[in-house]
Amino acid sequence: MKLRYIIIKVKDIERAKKFYSHFLNMEPTKIERDRMVVFDLQNIKIGLYNPLADGYSMSDSDFGTNYYPAFGVDDIEHELKRVSEFAEIISHKKVDYHEWLEFKDSEGNILEVHKI
């Protein structure tokens, strides 16, 4: 078994597509109308999903909120500077050898970037 996708619930698929294209420095590999946008990161895919396109609501009870994607980078200071140009940094912390930053995407979802 292997993890293939991380699905991120979004309200505005076009706005989210623009945000993630900028953040990931890539264009989507797949677009399904106003329903789904997929970015292929080689070992895992990130899907931006609009539940309204399938008749669901945006309610947390439909999906839960106990997750967030974490991305690894070599240069956390560079990434902090780059991300802060288009997103509000919620926190930047270092504990022992762990260093990470958290921020919200265009839809209010929390993302993490940590030092590899």
Side-chain angles (χ1 to χ4, degrees):
M1 181 185 310
K2 68 179 185 175
L3 180 62
R4 295 186 56 219
Y5 276 92
I6 293 177
I7 305 296
I8 301 171
K9 183 174 67 169
V10 300
K11 296 172 192 150
D12 184 324
I13 198 107
E14 283 300 316
R15 180 176 60 198
K17 179 179 84 168
K18 182 178 178 183
F19 179 91
Y20 280 87
S21 292
H22 188 77
F23 171 59
L24 298 171
N25 289 319
M26 66 171 50
E27 291 301 313
T29 53
K30 182 179 181 181
I31 298 174
E32 295 179 17
R33 302 175 322 277
D34 63 344
R35 181 180 181 276
M36 174 90 65
V37 173
V38 177
F39 294 89
D40 190 340
L41 303 177
Q42 296 174 352
N43 57 344
I44 193 166
K45 294 178 183 175
I46 294 188
L48 307 176
Y49 172 59
N50 175 8
L52 301 176
D54 288 335
Y56 296 108
S57 73
M58 294 300 290
S59 170
D60 290 340
S61 64
D62 288 341
F63 296 93
T65 59
N66 60 346
Y67 63 91
Y68 62 90
F71 300 86
V73 297
D74 292 321
D75 186 347
I76 192 77
E77 292 302 322
H78 172 78
E79 201 62 17
L80 174 63
K81 183 178 178 184
R82 188 181 79 81
V83 170
S84 66
E85 292 175 1
F86 59 88
E88 180 184 351
I89 305 301
I90 298 169
S91 68
H92 175 208
K93 296 182 181 180
K94 185 172 184 176
V95 177
D96 298 327
Y97 59 89
H98 300 288
E99 186 173 3
W100 70 95
L101 60 106
E102 296 172 335
F103 60 98
K104 288 187 180 181
D105 71 6
S106 61
E107 309 307 296
N109 296 304
I110 295 174
L111 305 176
E112 175 185 301
V113 174
H114 63 267
K115 185 175 181 178
I116 297 176

